[in-house]
Amino acid sequence: MVTMKDVARTAGVSVATVSYAFSKSSKVSAAQRERIYSVAAELGYAGPNIAGSSLRSGRIGAVGVIVPDSPVQALEDPSVTLLMKGIAEIGNSADIALTLFPASRGGAPDSPPNSLVLRGLVDGVVIHNVPDGHPLVEAIIARGIPAVVVDSPRSAGLPFVAIDDRNGAYLQMDHILKLGHRRVGIIVDKLGLDSDCRMVTAEDVGAATERNARERLAGYFDAARDHHLPVGELSIVVAGNIDRAAGAEATRILLASAQPTALVATSDVHAVAAWQVLRERGLSVPDDMSVIGFDDAPVAELLGLSTIHQPIVEKGRAAATILLDRLGGGTRTRSLMKTSLVVRGSTARVRES
Amino acid sequence: MVTMKDVARTAGVSVATVSYAFSKSSKVSAAQRERIYSVAAELGYAGPNIAGSSLRSGRIGAVGVIVPDSPVQALEDPSVTLLMKGIAEIGNSADIALTLFPASRGGAPDSPPNSLVLRGLVDGVVIHNVPDGHPLVEAIIARGIPAVVVDSPRSAGLPFVAIDDRNGAYLQMDHILKLGHRRVGIIVDKLGLDSDCRMVTAEDVGAATERNARERLAGYFDAARDHHLPVGELSIVVAGNIDRAAGAEATRILLASAQPTALVATSDVHAVAAWQVLRERGLSVPDDMSVIGFDDAPVAELLGLSTIHQPIVEKGRAAATILLDRLGGGTRTRSLMKTSLVVRGSTARVRES
DNA sequence: CTGGAATGGTGAAACGATTAACTTATGGTG
DNA sequence: CACCATAAGTTAATCGTTTCACCATTCCAG
């Protein structure tokens, strides 16, 4: 391995000078810098070794994104990849790499408490959609690792980027109720730690620990009240994971225990899955059933799914910008994004029958 | 920051013992190990600092994936996220993080030659779909950084995971020709460095530097010959990037200069984009035009797109497995995957007219 | 001609962990 | 009972950079 020492010796200068040359300090003349670069190129020196540099300076040149569950699960969800896209965009232009972390690690279960994040593999993290009080998040706060939250958790003092979930959900339900629907089925994301698909009771709602789901249900209830629809008449089912299989399962449960004329989902992934199930059963959307999603993922436009738009890529950009600002000593704290209703072909006035 | 020294002092042992405890060496008794872990937990020590550990041991606990262009561009392509999913799956169970790198960096253009990969931010890399002779790949080979290639480039000596692209393309075109189509339009991925959309000439084909495109075109030509269709009668257009905008643009160019009855795309993303353009123009699939993609991305199943299936997640798993094996001193070298034709609703017998 | 910036450079002490080589108990065996 | 593996620890060198404190020129104002 070729090191700074080799470059220094060959160039006939001290190691310190080489270091200053690479850190673009004004302590070295332009001519000298050029000479050092050319010697480096000749020797095949790629620049300061990260481990050495990081050990001394405390900076490593990478930020992480912490996604719920395993990365395996997460990469299934378009809103995660879109968020990463936004983060990568900002990171890339600052020469900062993006590392993916699972909130729950998969390594040996008997291990001592360790996470690569806490051990300094990254300078800071974007935390996306992790439940309140998650131990990794607690540890990150305790260690003072720079972090920005997207969506949840809204933990003590961490800067965040989010939308008004309650309002977004309100828009969604309001649209459906304005179309005259009264028997509405809701497919909601995970409420807490367990992830099986089942009908949701009032107690479940009260006990929900996932902020996202809680807020959005609140938005649905707000809209129902405004339209004089008793909240108890809404049929709610929870889909364990954000993937099509869970969405399909949830839809089947919902259809088995209620006769909705409209389906409202907290994620486009679930809405799309529902649509597929309906198609399999010979039900047409929106004639037999209206379906509306949330997120406005690319697939929504493709299929003509009505949905609530949220600027996910921009959320990623904003989170990365705040994080980099913090790493540079800044103090930006938050950014709230707007949502809007996008009506496409999957919702229609309730059929008189 | 709490270090090993602090833990050692508090536990009343030497730093070496703490280190051995965390590296699970048998040099420390079980009881002692437990004691050390509990002291660590008490002090809030999360485990050996990555920078220090990596500096000494040379291992850092992360692998990278190098994607073409910017990560921004790449995350648009489902085959990239599926590949990452496979890699993450293997990496996660070995407690190894996954870092995303652009093949072309976005930092300051006047910088000295440096890439975080070459500077040791990761232990090894999976290189996906990068053109032959790319400088970063050359540098990785020169520095001897462990690497596994997925698809391309098939560089000197690097282990790889791939499919038989030529055969996959053959299956695709063979299907279309068997349905009686003779006027076939082809939408092909990038051929070389430039990325504008335009019709492709025979010279362009000869000059193509991207292996993927070259091989697949060869497969198309094989099939055409077997069906006694003069190769010159195929209309070929190149789509600059793997995103819907480029696919739509390519489709428009194709429709403007030829009257195909079938569209063959080297990516589902482009096939889907083509389908959308056709819909906008009031053409129905498959009645007015057959469309077939490649990859069998989730969206293909959703829309009922006929396509060539390739096991992308498994490719990721295989690549990660080979890489980890190499990091451990192994010598596994390659893995070839199978493709298969998946006929759904987007292809049909040519209409007699 | 002198004092003092400014400029360009060097020496050396950390940073936190790993690991080879060495030391000291502790049993077990002949 | 003497001897030697083995187990359990320790000491100290080392990994590649950064950066503080210092030193030597050069240059210019007074």
Side-chain angles (χ1 to χ4, degrees), chain A residues 36-341:
Chain A
I36 290 174
Y37 284 177
S38 79
V39 168
E42 202 174 311
L43 295 181
Y45 178 74
N49 175 285
I50 298 277
S53 140
S54 162
L55 180 57
R56 185 60 240 243
S57 71
R59 254 157 273 133
I60 199 165
V63 298
V65 50
I66 297 181
V67 295
D69 311 306
S70 67
V72 180
Q73 181 62 41
L75 288 168
E76 197 96 15
D77 182 354
S79 66
V80 171
T81 58
L82 289 174
L83 186 79
M84 286 179 58
K85 193 178 140 161
I87 300 171
E89 207 169 296
I90 302 297
N92 191 25
S93 58
D95 244 327
I96 289 188
L98 179 62
T99 301
L100 194 59
F101 293 100
S104 54
R105 43 190 293 281
D110 63 328
S111 311
N114 69 341
S115 148
L116 294 170
V117 174
L118 302 175
R119 291 174 49 197
L121 189 51
V122 290
D123 293 321
V125 286
V126 173
I127 301 169
H128 176 52
N129 232 341
V130 167
D132 294 10
H134 190 287
L136 181 55
V137 175
E138 299 291 309
I140 285 171
I141 295 173
R143 306 294 195 293
I145 294 173
V148 176
V149 165
V150 173
D151 292 346
S152 67
R154 293 290 164 80
S155 298
L158 288 188
F160 66 86
V161 174
I163 55 170
D164 184 340
D165 282 288
R166 187 162 181 169
N167 180 248
Y170 183 95
L171 294 176
Q172 200 182 10
M173 182 60 79
D174 182 60
H175 171 62
I176 290 297
L177 296 179
K178 274 191 181 141
L179 290 172
H181 295 274
R182 308 300 285 175
R183 296 200 310 276
V184 179
I186 296 174
I187 302 173
V188 69
D189 285 1
K190 246 202 310 223
L191 295 174
L193 288 173
D194 64 330
S195 60
D196 39 333
C197 289
R198 60 159 205 283
M199 293 300 296
V200 169
T201 64
E203 299 90 76
D204 289 335
V205 172
T209 59
E210 294 269 356
R211 194 185 168 284
N212 248 19
R214 237 172 32 223
E215 289 287 305
R216 293 198 186 169
L217 285 175
Y220 295 150
F221 297 161
D222 291 345
R225 274 189 288 267
D226 285 359
H227 285 268
H228 308 293
L229 176 69
V231 164
E233 291 194 12
L234 297 168
S235 320
I236 309 178
V237 62
V238 59
N241 294 315
I242 303 193
D243 57 30
R244 292 233 283 272
E249 167 82 358
T251 306
R252 280 188 279 267
I253 292 175
L254 202 47
L255 295 181
S257 53
Q259 287 80 43
T261 62
L263 253 36
V264 173
T266 57
S267 155
D268 281 346
V269 172
H270 291 153
V272 164
W275 196 335
Q276 261 188 308
V277 169
L278 296 174
R279 189 175 348 178
E280 277 162 20
R281 304 208 170 175
L283 294 171
S284 122
V285 171
D287 296 341
D288 299 319
M289 180 99 67
S290 284
V291 176
I292 186 167
F294 202 114
D295 285 349
D296 199 14
V299 71
E301 191 206 344
L302 195 59
L303 294 177
L305 177 73
S306 295
T307 191
I308 299 296
H309 174 82
Q310 64 163 319
I312 303 185
V313 175
E314 271 193 65
K315 278 162 87 176
R317 282 194 214 113
T321 304
I322 293 176
L323 186 57
L324 294 190
D325 175 64
R326 294 236 149 192
L327 291 179
T331 57
R332 292 194 210 180
T333 61
R334 55 152 79 192
S335 173
L336 273 176
M337 304 274 164
K338 287 219 173 311
T339 58
S340 58
L341 173 67

Side-chain angles (χ1 to χ4, degrees), chain B residues 86-159:
Chain B
I87 300 170
E89 208 168 295
I90 302 297
N92 191 25
S93 58
D95 243 327
I96 288 188
L98 179 62
T99 302
L100 194 60
F101 292 100
S104 54
R105 44 190 292 280
D110 62 329
S111 311
N114 70 340
S115 147
L116 294 170
V117 174
L118 302 174
R119 291 175 50 197
L121 189 52
V122 290
D123 292 321
V125 286
V126 173
I127 301 169
H128 175 54
N129 233 340
V130 167
D132 295 9
H134 190 286
L136 180 55
V137 175
E138 301 290 311
I140 285 171
I141 296 173
R143 306 294 197 293
I145 295 173
V148 176
V149 165
V150 173
D151 293 345
S152 67
R154 294 290 166 80
S155 298
L158 288 188

